[in-house]
Amino acid sequence: MKNNIKAFRVKHHYTQDDLAEKLEVSRQTIISLEKERYNPSITLAFKISRLFNCSIEDVFIYEEE
């Protein structure tokens, strides 16, 4: 799933390690999310949107196949 995680992370001046710590996941998870190799659980998607103070739709771009 396409996403804007890296753009939000950079905008908030977080490193991948910072974001991983705040979301209580590994840095590898952040890398996989940013490279669109991994789709987060709904819980993680909510955590990400709350951290960046935006909607899930602002972070994740749903495209029907």
Side-chain angles (χ1 to χ4, degrees):
M1 179 181 301
K2 294 186 186 262
N3 67 67
N4 296 313
I5 293 173
K6 185 173 183 177
F8 277 104
R9 178 176 62 77
V10 170
K11 179 181 175 184
H12 287 82
H13 307 287
Y14 294 150
T15 65
Q16 289 176 333
D17 285 323
D18 294 336
L19 185 57
E21 186 176 319
K22 290 180 182 301
L23 296 172
E24 300 176 326
V25 298
S26 69
R27 181 172 171 262
Q28 188 61 44
T29 297
I30 301 303
I31 292 167
S32 294
L33 285 167
E34 288 185 355
K35 291 185 177 187
E36 299 171 359
R37 293 185 188 151
Y38 169 73
N39 292 328
S41 66
I42 191 69
T43 303
L44 182 55
F46 272 108
K47 280 183 168 183
I48 292 166
S49 66
R50 264 189 259 129
L51 178 66
F52 293 134
N53 197 29
C54 63
S55 70
I56 289 176
E57 291 86 359
D58 290 336
V59 179
F60 298 96
I61 299 107
Y62 176 74
E63 294 178 340
E64 289 192 42
E65 296 181 20

